[in-house]
Amino acid sequence: MPTSPPRRLHLNAFLMNAGHHEAAWRHPRTQPERVTDLRYFQELARTAERGLLDSVFLADGLALWGKVRHNALGGFEPLTLLSALAAVTEHIGLIATVSTTFNEPFHTARKFASLDHISGGRAGWNIVTSGTADEARNFGQDEHLEHGLRYERAREFVEVAVKLWDSWEDDAILLDRERGVYADTDKVHEINHRGEHFGVRGPLNVPRGPQGHPLLVQAGSSEDGKEFAARYAEAVFTAQQTLADGQSFYKDLKSRLARHGRAEDDLRILPGICPVLGSTEAEARALEQELTDLQVPEYGLAQLSGMLGTDLTGLPLDGPLPELPEERDINGNKSRFTLVAELARRDGLTLRELIARLGGGRGHRVFAGTPEQTADQLEEWFTHGAADGFNIMAPHLPGGLDDFVDQVVPILQRRGLFRTEYTGRTLREHYGLPRPGGPGVTPPLPRGRRRRDHSAPPRPGARRAGAAPAAPERRA
């Protein structure tokens, strides 16, 4: 009997200016003066590609996050930067955050289709709804949209974007010089979408990309976020502090997929981890303490206030958390609120201790140890039902990413847990996900099966379930 290939974990490098620790910019191993230097990010992307990582990821917000007085904040718009990274890399996936609350589907679909072409099929979209009032105030609103409404808008936004990516059939471009026909207009479709939040005629003004659709990523872990992910996401960036919490989230989210006609293998779950590495455990813990000692309490307290939706200014740092609002009353990032509140309560942390715990990962797990110990942690979560891979959040850059690539990745390779070469060209291939169907494209195989040969010609008239039909729409 044929055997399925061994399961391999997936690794994404989450790049953040001088590193993920909030005090990283003060550490001598970092280069905060380069956060608007294109060559710096190109070097980071090439390091991640040298490590054979699946992808790099750039977060984004539509306001100046945190207190710039005490951190190296601000920087490039991510899609602009990823286009420049595409030019100096060949394999690494390129994932950017774009908000569905303060953008329009046509613009977003066009930009990601462009990046997919520019990169040869390596684009990914981290779908967020935005979570702060500061962002709303940059777009003429005094307050943020209600949490549930943001997700309603996001659902329609993604559906419109998918229709736009599918508005060109794969073989629409004929390039018939003799007849003077560039494209078969019977294969370029208006989508004529009219919904609660958007009206979009289409078609998109970019042909269908190499991947069909960019990889769809999602990072919310609230109830709304998990349902959204179960329906649309192909990879999820998440945050859990313990193996048990990771297993619970993994099982819960995977169990929701069947309700949307999807198999468990249609979604990759990547918890975040901030690895503080040293040649010995003592060396790693010393580096962790160095970073903690560089924290500015005022900055940490402001960050914590934002996560908890509670003004903590002036409270004693060596005292406990005050009484917090109920999760249902939080209109920002509900999942991060719950994670931080539970962490403080479970471990009995003072405000000072909680700020120190959150300094490296803002709620993501921080692990200080040797490369071997770090690999042990990744293997345990991967093999015990808590992860399909990991969102690697180097505490300091560039050295933290170099250390992970040069010291942890080889251990994972020796254990047979991670690739030793790229075997695909596209981001979807890195993640082991099929190219989606669309108008004029052979539809996906039944749930739970995979088509690996993407070279077969499309079947005329076939379309993905739920996509805009070929008739009776008007042609472009």
Side-chain angles (χ1 to χ4, degrees):
M1 292 178 61
T3 57
S4 57
R7 184 168 172 253
R8 297 282 189 264
L9 59 78
H10 302 282
L11 297 175
N12 171 79
F14 183 174
L15 305 180
M16 183 171 280
N17 286 1
H20 278 273
H21 198 285
E22 66 188 46
W25 71 277
R26 301 182 67 192
H27 197 277
R29 290 189 67 183
T30 63
Q31 301 170 4
E33 69 279 4
R34 299 186 69 194
V35 299
T36 52
D37 179 351
L38 171 60
R39 292 168 299 178
Y40 171 67
F41 285 95
Q42 289 177 328
E43 290 163 10
L44 293 174
R46 284 194 290 256
T47 297
E49 187 165 80
R50 176 166 56 82
L52 306 178
L53 272 60
D54 296 66
S55 49
V56 296
F57 163 55
L58 300 174
D60 191 40
L62 297 170
L64 185 60
W65 285 343
K67 288 183 176 292
V68 72
R69 177 179 176 85
H70 300 303
N71 201 355
L73 303 170
F76 292 120
E77 187 281 316
L79 281 168
T80 305
L81 176 55
L82 290 181
S83 293
L85 301 188
V88 297
T89 56
E90 294 183 16
H91 298 282
I92 195 91
L94 306 166
I95 302 174
T97 291
V98 171
S99 169
T100 59
T101 303
F102 301 113
N103 283 288
E104 289 288 322
F106 192 93
H107 279 140
T108 300
R110 183 188 190 197
K111 290 173 183 177
F112 277 106
S114 298
L115 178 61
D116 209 41
H117 281 287
I118 289 168
S119 64
R122 295 185 280 142
W125 173 21
N126 179 45
I127 305 161
V128 302
T129 65
S130 297
T132 70
D134 285 344
E135 291 170 288
R137 291 166 189 150
N138 285 333
F139 292 86
Q141 300 175 24
D142 292 329
E143 296 296 334
H144 206 6
L145 289 177
E146 186 271 327
H147 189 269
L149 181 60
R150 296 203 305 270
Y151 272 98
E152 287 178 18
R153 177 185 168 97
R155 285 189 284 272
E156 186 178 345
F157 193 113
V158 172
E159 288 171 2
V160 174
V162 168
K163 289 179 182 179
L164 287 166
W165 291 323
D166 287 346
S167 64
W168 288 65
E169 298 185 20
D170 278 349
D171 56 351
I173 296 177
L174 300 179
L175 283 175
D176 188 336
R177 290 181 171 89
E178 287 190 11
R179 293 191 298 138
V181 178
Y182 175 74
D184 181 349
T185 49
D186 284 339
K187 297 184 177 183
V188 182
H189 311 282
E190 293 180 1
I191 68 169
N192 293 314
H193 175 88
R194 180 64 60 180
E196 183 71 22
H197 301 279
F198 306 106
V200 181
R201 189 185 72 172
L204 194 63
N205 55 354
V206 181
R208 202 164 194 262
Q211 294 187 107
H213 310 158
L215 185 78
L216 299 181
V217 184
Q218 192 263 354
S221 298
S222 66
E223 191 62 27
D224 284 332
K226 286 187 286 190
E227 276 301 303
F228 184 91
R231 185 170 181 177
Y232 300 109
E234 295 164 305
V236 167
F237 296 152
T238 184
Q240 283 85 41
Q241 289 285 323
T242 68
L243 175 62
D245 287 344
Q247 290 169 324
S248 177
F249 177 86
Y250 187 95
K251 182 178 180 180
D252 179 18
L253 185 50
K254 294 275 187 170
S255 71
R256 297 171 186 244
L257 294 169
R259 295 203 296 270
H260 301 284
R262 305 179 68 195
E264 290 190 6
D265 196 41
D266 291 336
L267 175 68
R268 305 284 179 256
I269 296 177
L270 287 79
I273 185 168
C274 179
V276 184
L277 297 169
S279 58
T280 65
E281 185 176 345
E283 185 179 298
R285 295 201 176 279
L287 174 57
E288 183 179 38
Q289 189 61 50
E290 285 177 25
L291 291 166
T292 297
D293 291 344
L294 292 173
Q295 285 184 281
V296 178
E298 179 186 343
Y299 180 87
L301 203 61
Q303 292 289 92
L304 186 57
S305 296
M307 291 180 195
L308 296 176
T310 303
D311 186 1
L312 305 174
T313 306
L315 292 179
L317 290 175
D318 294 310
L321 275 179
E323 185 174 344
L324 299 175
E326 296 292 329
E327 181 187 320
R328 64 176 178 268
D329 297 324
I330 295 295
N331 194 35
N333 188 327
K334 289 180 181 287
S335 57
R336 194 56 50 87
F337 167 86
T338 301
L339 185 150
V340 172
E342 289 180 353
L343 172 64
R345 291 173 186 143
R346 184 185 70 229
D347 294 353
L349 302 178
T350 65
L351 286 175
R352 189 187 306 277
E353 291 168 335
L354 186 55
I355 289 169
R357 283 279 197 101
L358 298 173
R362 301 173 310 284
H364 294 86
R365 186 169 181 236
V366 178
F367 180 79
T370 66
E372 195 83 25
Q373 290 171 328
T374 302
D376 289 344
Q377 291 292 310
L378 302 186
E379 181 173 3
E380 181 180 32
W381 281 52
F382 179 62
T383 58
H384 286 76
D388 295 308
F390 297 90
N391 198 14
I392 305 302
M393 305 166 60
H396 57 92
L397 290 171
L401 183 60
D402 282 312
D403 292 345
F404 185 86
V405 163
D406 294 334
Q407 299 172 29
V408 180
V409 166
I411 297 171
L412 298 173
Q413 291 170 327
R414 288 196 296 271
R415 296 182 185 183
L417 296 170
F418 191 60
R419 65 172 63 87
T420 56
E421 63 179 343
Y422 286 112
T423 56
R425 294 286 306 197
T426 71
L427 178 54
R428 289 184 169 277
E429 289 172 322
H430 299 341
Y431 277 87
L433 296 168
R435 188 178 189 274
V441 180
T442 305
L445 290 174
R447 185 160 41 92
R449 297 169 60 196
R450 289 277 183 240
R451 175 182 295 105
R452 295 301 182 188
D453 178 12
H454 302 305
S455 62
R459 195 171 65 211
R463 66 183 180 89
R464 182 185 56 77
E473 292 174 349
R474 293 164 51 200
R475 310 299 183 192

